[in-house]
């Protein structure tokens, strides 16, 4: 294959991987296209969030300002926080990861290209719902944190809060999809030889970040679902007058909210770790220490959520624990900072444009970290809580720790995307305007906060000493905005008029710079064999060798979109992954969910089910398109290796992705259990006036049905492994029937035995737990029926067993969580009643 001219390889690959244009671009699923869409959309939202910030600063520039009224200000500051946190920061991380990951780990695309496309449409549609509400004057106005009881229907009777709850939930679907995509791609879709110990540190940062997203986002989704149900159907999860607890919202929100800070920081730190060795002309110091620090930081971040709740009246022992944990998290952060400094000291730093933004990052982020340690001290936190000191700290951490590194990353990787380098000097002027304007805005805000100015107020009286500091902060804000405008101008000028170059303008040593620029849709003409962490340093001609077809899977001899899957740890080639062509299914499936969320928002609750039906139909079509009707032949991938296609492999991305989706699902279930126990132990007016009065025979039948569905699915899988089609079909049919009977029993439990979900929070949270089980049992019916249909049409065999294993995994999860839920709602009343 290496004798084929590079241009012939390119033409064959381009014919298979070409991205459609015009209206057909809606069907594009290529990771570069989807990643660019995320990035561009996120920056558009960033611009909108910046405009909202300037409206806030214009209002606060002078005391008693008539510029904005209280209602408009509440909507604007809520939208500013919501846009920046949910529609800019996280989606930008997703976009950068989706665009870069295959390029830095040596793949041609992601593990599930259609899942990424689906996630983008969910993000776009959810964000659009939120923005349109602002244009219509019904934007969320209870803060980007949506605290109860302020966000309850009593105090926010319109649809303002519903817009936030439904819109953010829609967007968070995108985040979960991206997290699964990133984790599975990093673990399975690397190039040959890239073991975990040879993987670029950016890959480690993104892997840990995605893992955090799988655990951190479900509590927020649960909180949003519960509050929307309370607002729509009057179930009192957060209403203290009926046994609810407003603090439950804070716990669930900050179980997400504090890890989110590190979810935002870690990818930016990954960019810092990638860029510093390149511009210091040396290798990174402390690779293993940095990996350990990343993992430790992720672990510790989940023990800090009460850091935001020091003033709500929690026990002193808990205050001491969370205060210590909040300070301890500085240790893994410091390890990374010292590794960066040591790398700079060992090398010969070149102060090129990306390094300028990294120097800004160092100065701003370290100051933000120091004020974070101050806020971790309970006595100081009590004084500074809900003042502008916290606002300043937040922005020093997020802009210093995220925006500056991302701007450095933009200048570093933009040539890979565009094939052009900057030719104008606008960028340095933009940096200094942003850096000076930022510090003028937020450094002074620390002192404004220490002088007692609360956050979230739309005006203030003259004579309190806040007049001049606020004016200075506002001036700095407009200077910073001018800098961001110049940054955008410079990017446009680089894309349109930048200087063309050949490969690797920065002298990087990763395989991302072994590609042609701009990167083609297939990334690599052949997939390289990696033997170290710095492949371009080992072989400066690696790019030419890849283009000449000297790697694995050279060209596209079968006319299909193919890439390698490897062993998760060693990086040894495992099988060939055949990727889908461009497909409208993700777009239409997201449209179905958009119909559901929009109709639910407008109060058409029954009619909103139409959207779920549409999404389910296209989801079924999506799954049905995967697979083969005959056992595929092994493929010669080069270098003497012959590998199976994924349909005949054991460790396939499809099943790995299902397991990670279920990990996120388990985090959702765990949060629901936490909420149930929290209400039992801290909610007012407990024990409730009436309990679940479950018929013992019905409970026994439910236990048998849940366990039976799981056991029968396992038997069907084993029958398939033995080639016994008859018992496979019987097992699947029995599993579907057991799930269907269990569904009926759960409905009787909910509507006959359970107390009203309206009168007391006990009835509401019990119904929520039963509803969770019912949903998963219903999906279990669909899984088993799907398995039957796939068997009937020839997609299943002892070799092609992924469908059977998927049914088995789902039914096992439904059985385990269902039995745990039944134990919770039947045993808890006896233990605490």
């Amino acid at each position: 294959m290496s004798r084929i001219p590079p241009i012939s390889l390119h033409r064959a690959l381009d014919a298979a991987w070409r991205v459609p244009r015009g209206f057909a671009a809606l069907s594009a699923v290529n990771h570069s296209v989807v990643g660019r869409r995320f990035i561009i959309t996120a920056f558009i939202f960033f611009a909108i969030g910046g405009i909202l910030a300037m409206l806030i600063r214009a209002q606060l520039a002078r005391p008693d300002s008539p510029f904005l009224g209280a209602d408009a200000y509440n909507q604007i500051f809520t939208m500013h926080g919501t846009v920046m946190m949910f529609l800019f920061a996280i989606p930008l991380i997703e976009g950068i990861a989706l665009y870069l990951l295959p390029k830095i780990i040596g793949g041609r695309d992601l593990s599930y290209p259609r899942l990424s496309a689906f996630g983008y449409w969910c993000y776009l549609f959810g964000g659009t719902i939120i923005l349109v509400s602002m244009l219509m004057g019904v934007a969320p106005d209870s803060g980007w944190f949506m605290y109860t009881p302020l966000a309850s229907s009593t105090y926010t009777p319109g649809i303002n809060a519903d817009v936030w709850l439904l819109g953010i939930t829609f967007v968070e679907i995108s985040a979960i999809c991206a997290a699964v995509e990133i984790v599975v791609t990093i673990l399975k879709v690397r190039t040959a030889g890239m073991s975990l110990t040879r993987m670029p540190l950016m890959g480690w940062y993104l892997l840990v970040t995605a893992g955090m997203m799988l655990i951190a986002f479900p509590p927020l989704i649960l909180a949003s679902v519960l509050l929307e149900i309370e607002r729509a159907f009057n179930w009192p999860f957060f209403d203290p007058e009926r046994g609810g607890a407003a603090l439950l919202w804070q716990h669930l929100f900050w179980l997400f909210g504090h890890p989110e800070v590190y979810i935002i920081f870690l990818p930016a730190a990954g960019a810092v770790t990638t860029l510093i060795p390149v511009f210091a002309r040396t290798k990174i110091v402390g690779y293993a220490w940095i990996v350990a620090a990343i993992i430790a930081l992720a672990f510790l971040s989940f023990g800090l959520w009460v850091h935001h709740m020091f003033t709500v009246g929690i026990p002193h022992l808990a205050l001491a624990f969370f205060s210590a944990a909040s300070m301890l998290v500085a240790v893994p952060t410091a390890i990374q900072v010292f590794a960066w400094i040591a790398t700079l000291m060992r090398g010969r730093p070149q102060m090129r444009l990306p390094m300028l933004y990294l120097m800004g990052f160092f100065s701003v982020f370290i100051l933000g970290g120091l004020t974070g340690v101050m806020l971790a001290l309970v006595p100081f936190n009590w004084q500074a809580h809900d003042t502008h000191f916290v606002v300043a700290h937040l922005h020093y951490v997020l802009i210093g720790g995220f925006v500056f590194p991302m701007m450095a990353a933009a200048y570093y990787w933009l040539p890979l995307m565009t094939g052009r380098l900057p030719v104008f000097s606008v960028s340095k002027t933009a940096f200094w305007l942003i850096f000076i304007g930022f510090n003028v805005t937020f450094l002074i805000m620390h002192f404004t906060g220490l002088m007692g100015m609360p956050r979230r107020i739309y005006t203030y009286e003259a004579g309190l000493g806040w007049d001049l500091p606020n004016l200075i902060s506002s001036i700095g804000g407009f200077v910073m905005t001018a800098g961001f405008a110049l940054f955008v101008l410079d990017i446009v000028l680089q894309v349109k008029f930048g200087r063309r170059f050949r490969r690797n303008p920065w002298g990087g040593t990763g395989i991302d710079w072994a590609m042609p620029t701009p990167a083609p849709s297939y990334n690599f003409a052949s997939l390289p064999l990696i033997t170290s962490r710095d492949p371009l340093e080992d072989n400066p001609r690696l790019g030419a060798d890849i283009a000449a077809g000297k790697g694995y899977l050279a060209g596209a001899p079968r006319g299909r979109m193919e890439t390698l899957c490897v062993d998760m740890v060693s990086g040894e080639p495992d099988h060939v992954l055949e990727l889908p062509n461009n497909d409208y299914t993700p777009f239409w499936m997201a449209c179905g969910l958009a119909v559901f969320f929009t109709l639910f928002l407008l109060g058409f609750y029954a009619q909103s089910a139409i959207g779920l039906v549409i999404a389910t139909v296209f989801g079924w079509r999506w799954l049905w398109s995967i697979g083969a009707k005959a056992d595929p032949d092994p493929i010669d991938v080069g270098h003497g290796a012959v590998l199976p296609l994924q349909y005949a492999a054991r460790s396939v991305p499809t099943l790995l992705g299902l397991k990670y989706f279920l990990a996120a699902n388990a985090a959702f279930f765990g949060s629901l259990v936490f909420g149930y126990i929290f209400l039992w132990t801290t909610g007012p007016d407990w024990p409730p006036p009436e309990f679940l009065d479950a018929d013992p025979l019905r409970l026994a039948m439910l236990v048998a049905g849940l366990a039976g569905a799981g056991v029968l699915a396992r038997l069907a899988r084993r029958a398939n492994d033995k080639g016994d089609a008859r018992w496979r079909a019987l097992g699947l049919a029995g599993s579907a029937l057991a799930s269907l009977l269990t569904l009926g029993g759960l409905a009787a439990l909910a509507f006959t035995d359970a107390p009203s979900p309206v009168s007391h929070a006990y009835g509401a949270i019990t119904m929520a737990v039963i509803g969770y089980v019912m949903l998963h049992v219903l999906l279990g019916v669909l899984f088993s029926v799907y398995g039957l249909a796939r068997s009937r049409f020839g997609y299943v065999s002892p070799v092609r067993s992924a469908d059977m294993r998927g049914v088995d995994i789902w039914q096992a999860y439904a059985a385990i969580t269902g039995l745990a839920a039944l134990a919770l709602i039947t045993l808890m009343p006896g233990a605490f009643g």
Side-chain angles (χ1 to χ4, degrees), residues 505-708:
W506 310 114
T509 59
I511 57 174
D512 46 332
W513 293 110
M515 290 184 293
T517 52
S521 56
Y522 53 83
N523 293 338
F524 303 97
S526 61
L527 303 179
L529 174 64
I530 298 301
T531 58
S532 75
R533 296 173 189 158
D534 301 290
L536 274 183
E537 183 179 69
D538 296 342
N539 179 14
R541 287 189 48 80
L542 181 62
D545 291 344
I546 292 172
K550 295 181 180 180
Y552 291 89
L553 284 176
R558 287 161 293 278
R560 299 190 301 233
M561 300 163 62
E562 297 172 339
T563 192
L564 279 181
C565 278
V566 300
D567 178 81
M568 287 190 285
V569 178
S570 69
E572 290 297 315
D574 183 71
H575 63 271
V576 175
L577 178 63
E578 185 179 78
L579 296 165
N581 292 317
N582 299 305
D583 189 355
Y584 289 100
T585 302
F587 174 77
W588 291 117
M589 187 173 173
C591 287
L593 290 182
V595 170
F596 166 74
F597 282 108
T598 303
L599 290 177
F600 203 97
L601 175 63
L602 297 176
F604 299 105
Y605 303 127
Q607 294 86 338
S608 66
I610 297 171
L612 294 180
V613 172
I614 295 172
T616 302
V617 169
F618 281 100
W620 183 286
R621 176 184 172 184
W622 180 341
L623 292 175
W624 195 265
S625 67
I626 302 171
K629 288 190 173 184
D631 294 345
D633 295 327
I635 295 174
D636 183 354
V637 298
H639 293 269
V642 178
L643 301 177
L645 203 59
Q646 81 256 36
Y647 311 123
R650 301 299 296 177
S651 179
V652 294
T654 305
L655 296 179
L656 191 61
L658 176 60
K659 292 175 182 178
Y660 281 109
F661 268 118
L662 290 179
N665 197 330
F668 184 95
F669 179 67
S671 301
L672 182 59
V673 172
F674 168 82
Y676 187 95
I677 296 173
F678 182 85
L679 289 174
W680 261 106
T681 54
T682 65
D685 192 25
W686 285 69
E690 56 179 328
F691 294 100
L692 175 70
D693 184 19
D695 177 28
L697 179 60
R698 178 175 292 134
L699 285 176
M701 293 177 65
L702 288 174
V703 169
L706 288 166

Side-chain angles (χ1 to χ4, degrees), residues 68-344:
L68 293 173
D71 291 340
Y73 183 85
N74 287 340
Q75 290 190 28
I76 288 172
F77 95 81
T78 298
M79 286 293 294
H80 168 70
T82 299
V83 167
M84 290 302 197
M85 298 297 284
F86 297 103
L87 303 182
F88 164 63
I90 297 297
L92 181 62
I93 291 168
E94 296 168 22
I96 290 173
L98 298 180
Y99 182 83
L100 279 181
L101 256 183
K103 296 172 173 60
I104 65 174
I105 63 176
R108 284 180 174 154
D109 210 318
L110 299 160
S111 51
Y112 319 110
R114 287 182 291 189
L115 186 64
S116 298
F118 171 70
Y120 172 75
W121 297 119
C122 289
Y123 161 52
L124 180 64
F125 295 158
T128 301
I129 289 172
I130 295 171
L131 284 188
V132 168
S133 72
M134 185 170 60
L135 298 177
M136 299 180 67
V138 291
D141 56 1
S142 302
W144 71 273
F145 36 79
M146 207 56 56
Y147 280 173
T148 57
L150 180 60
S152 67
S153 56
T154 302
Y155 301 100
T156 307
I159 67 169
N160 304 63
D162 302 296
V163 169
W164 192 97
L165 296 168
L166 294 170
I168 292 302
T169 300
F170 200 178
V171 171
E172 296 315 304
I173 293 173
S174 168
I176 296 295
C177 292
V180 172
E181 182 80 84
I182 292 166
V183 170
V184 177
T185 298
I186 291 174
L187 292 179
K188 291 297 295 180
V189 194
R190 307 193 301 271
T191 195
M194 185 176 282
S195 64
L196 289 180
T197 56
R198 293 172 183 163
M199 188 167 67
L201 280 168
M202 186 67 174
W204 277 105
Y205 277 101
L206 292 174
L207 175 63
V208 173
T209 299
M212 292 175 66
M213 291 169 66
L214 290 175
I215 306 301
F217 281 73
L220 175 64
I221 296 173
L222 172 66
S224 301
V225 170
L226 295 183
L227 184 52
E228 182 57 28
I229 291 174
E230 176 176 302
R231 291 177 56 85
F233 305 116
N234 198 28
W235 294 15
F237 300 105
F238 307 103
D239 182 1
E241 295 183 357
R242 292 180 287 166
L247 277 184
L248 175 59
W249 172 271
Q250 289 199 38
H251 280 288
L252 292 174
F253 183 87
W254 290 116
L255 276 168
F256 147 81
H258 201 85
E260 187 198 25
V261 174
Y262 300 98
I263 289 170
I264 291 172
F265 166 68
L266 282 177
V272 175
T273 307
T274 301
L275 270 61
I276 282 180
V278 173
F279 294 104
R281 319 312 301 167
T282 187
K283 295 182 179 181
I284 190 71
V285 172
Y287 179 100
W289 280 96
I290 292 174
V291 172
I294 299 167
I295 297 171
L297 188 65
F299 178 79
L300 290 171
S301 71
F302 285 94
L304 308 180
W305 80 93
V306 179
H307 171 95
H308 299 268
M309 302 170 61
F310 282 168
T311 61
V312 302
I314 62 177
H316 286 182
L317 181 62
L319 286 175
F321 172 82
F322 285 104
S323 177
S326 300
M327 289 183 279
L328 184 62
V329 78
V331 174
T333 306
I335 290 173
Q336 297 171 75
V337 172
F338 287 134
W340 297 331
I341 293 173
T343 304
L344 289 171

Side-chain angles (χ1 to χ4, degrees), residues 745-762:
L746 288 168
L749 183 71
F751 299 110
T752 303
D753 300 341
S756 168
V758 175
S759 59
H760 193 274
Y762 168 75

